[in-house]
Amino acid sequence: MKDILTLGIESSCDETSIAVVKNGREILSNVINSQIKIHEKFGGVVPEIASRNHIEAISNVMEQALKEANISYDDIDNIACTYGPGLVGALLVGVSYAKGLSYALNKPLTGTNHIEGHIAANYITHKELKPPFICLIISGGHTHLVHIKDYDKFEILGKTRDDAIGEAFDKVARVIGLGYPGGPKVDKLAKEGIPNIELPKTHMEGLDFSFSGVKTSIINLYHKNPDINKADLCASFEKYVTEILINNTMKASKELKLNTIALAGGVSANSYIRENFMELKEKGYKIYYPEPILCTDNAAMIASAGYYRFISGVTSNLELNAVPNLKIGNNNQ
Ligand code: KG4
Ligand code: ZN
């Protein structure tokens, strides 16, 4: 069978990324231009600044992606771009660029869901991984527990009722003065601490999550006692959220009788969360997560998800638009 080269384009938040992926699983290039340094001084992503920087970066990122993959425009078989969820202005840069390329090169276009991209990052790291499995997507914008029935069939089992887990990490870090983006900083500091601070539990029915309660508890604790040991606070926060993530994932696993579990999204780069999920291997679970560079936003994961949509016969036309609140598994385009 002929190899299929997918060009992936990602611009949903603050990373402008373009990748070339072979047969959905093998990265030929994955260029990521991060705007973190630009947004750092504002303590978070500023949407208008993100859009402008995507526009400035995208052509150079494209050139580099082709060069690193050692291919020309002609070699591309299909173009996959993120069309949601994300920041509308940021998404529009990638979607418009992808539509322009598709028209000029006369190549098929496949609008791709960013969250499905995070799931697909696992296909790149783990060549043997195939549906069905359970995926826990934990990122700056999302906290979803999903049953991956097939490459293009998803059922949401649980999701956050309030903050995404990455948002909680970022907020805690900001309040205690660690800076942005907070996740990696909390991760690092927590290693020096002991999880000895009791945090009140929020009870949730079913498989949903809630992180605003714990976030507020940490903020209150810190404001009441600014000399509190920050490392212990970070360690306690990580322990608290990890227990919730593991409990819900185990419940889902029991209900579905499925013991293959994948993690995805920026927060799955967290070392404490990873270690604790890896310990489940001793109980017979198969645990997967993408290599760290594929956990946070990148275009290789979009190319992989787009490839599976493309080979299942889904393509978009030039009316494809950005859908900021696009739901997983709901890919009307
Ligand atoms: O997947 P991602 O790049 O963007 C979204 O789609 O949201 O995730 C970014 C999020 C941020 O909240 C960041 O703080 C968090 O992932 N993150 C981490 C770690 N690395 C990134 N959170 C905890 N520990 C980490 N090591
Ligand atoms: Zn993401």
Side-chain angles (χ1 to χ4, degrees):
M1 211 172 83
K2 186 192 167 293
D3 287 331
I4 294 181
L5 296 190
T6 303
L7 183 83
I9 302 180
E10 158 63 33
S11 72
S12 67
C13 190
D14 60 343
E15 265 91 29
T16 320
S17 180
I18 300 189
V20 179
V21 171
K22 189 161 119 186
N23 300 330
R25 299 257 179 176
E26 190 188 328
I27 295 180
L28 302 190
S29 67
N30 185 24
V31 180
I32 305 168
N33 179 74
S34 174
Q35 304 176 8
I36 281 182
K37 284 269 161 286
I38 299 167
H39 298 282
E40 215 168 27
K41 54 180 172 289
F42 302 105
V45 177
V46 183
E48 283 313 310
I49 297 179
S51 316
R52 211 176 311 140
N53 280 283
H54 283 308
I55 294 172
E56 279 173 22
I58 201 160
S59 303
N60 287 339
V61 172
M62 177 73 202
E63 210 173 289
Q64 207 183 326
L66 291 182
K67 202 167 147 204
E68 283 181 22
N70 201 14
I71 64 160
S72 71
Y73 284 113
D74 279 350
D75 300 317
I76 299 167
D77 294 295
N78 70 312
I79 299 164
C81 71
T82 305
Y83 75 109
L87 302 168
V88 66
L91 286 165
L92 275 170
V93 178
V95 169
S96 311
Y97 194 83
K99 289 202 293 192
L101 269 182
S102 163
Y103 180 73
L105 303 174
N106 197 18
K107 306 270 184 190
L109 174 69
T110 309
T112 302
N113 183 310
H114 180 82
I115 309 177
E116 293 172 21
H118 275 299
I119 298 165
N122 280 287
Y123 297 139
I124 299 173
T125 305
H126 307 286
K127 310 294 180 221
E128 74 285 9
L129 178 65
K130 291 187 177 83
F133 58 94
I134 292 168
C135 190
L136 178 67
I137 303 125
I138 41 179
S139 75
H142 320 283
T143 311
H144 280 66
L145 193 56
V146 182
H147 180 191
I148 318 298
K149 296 177 168 176
D150 205 338
Y151 288 104
D152 57 350
K153 286 199 181 61
F154 309 89
E155 186 192 348
I156 299 178
L157 305 168
K159 58 182 185 320
T160 181
R161 296 272 182 99
D162 39 56
D163 295 351
I165 184 168
E167 252 178 290
F169 266 94
D170 292 339
K171 189 69 200 280
V172 165
R174 187 157 72 210
V175 168
I176 65 172
L178 301 182
Y180 172 86
K185 292 179 171 141
V186 171
D187 190 349
K188 196 160 165 237
L189 188 58
K191 290 196 173 99
E192 295 164 25
I194 303 162
N196 55 4
I197 300 168
E198 209 40 57
L199 296 162
K201 292 258 178 301
T202 311
H203 177 73
M204 293 301 292
E205 292 295 332
L207 296 171
D208 280 349
F209 304 90
S210 164
F211 297 107
S212 73
V214 65
K215 180 190 75 182
T216 310
S217 305
I218 299 259
I219 295 171
N220 290 342
L221 270 172
Y222 182 71
H223 284 321
K224 274 192 210 133
N225 179 9
D227 295 326
I228 196 165
N229 183 310
K230 288 184 190 175
D232 290 350
L233 204 55
C234 289
S236 306
F237 170 69
E238 280 193 352
K239 180 166 181 269
Y240 178 99
V241 297
T242 304
E243 271 171 18
I244 297 174
L245 295 176
I246 290 191
N247 272 346
N248 282 13
T249 310
M250 294 299 90
K251 257 198 249 168
S253 162
K254 251 191 218 123
E255 278 173 23
L256 296 174
K257 298 191 175 53
L258 246 183
N259 68 353
T260 306
I261 291 156
L263 270 64
V267 181
S268 69
N270 183 272
S271 45
Y272 183 82
I273 295 175
R274 280 179 176 235
E275 275 161 28
N276 279 274
F277 269 90
M278 285 314 266
E279 280 174 14
L280 296 174
K281 279 187 162 181
E282 288 160 20
K283 295 188 182 159
Y285 291 95
K286 290 191 193 123
I287 306 291
Y288 296 92
Y289 46 73
E291 58 214 87
I293 189 70
L294 298 179
C295 285
T296 45
D297 290 350
N298 68 87
M301 69 185 199
I302 301 303
S304 176
Y307 163 82
Y308 284 107
R309 285 175 64 66
F310 177 67
I311 60 168
S312 75
V314 180
T315 51
S316 314
N317 60 33
L318 293 179
E319 281 172 24
L320 180 72
N321 204 351
V323 182
N325 60 354
L326 184 67
K327 301 283 178 287
I328 192 167
N330 179 5
N331 287 307
N332 305 322
Q333 11 183 338

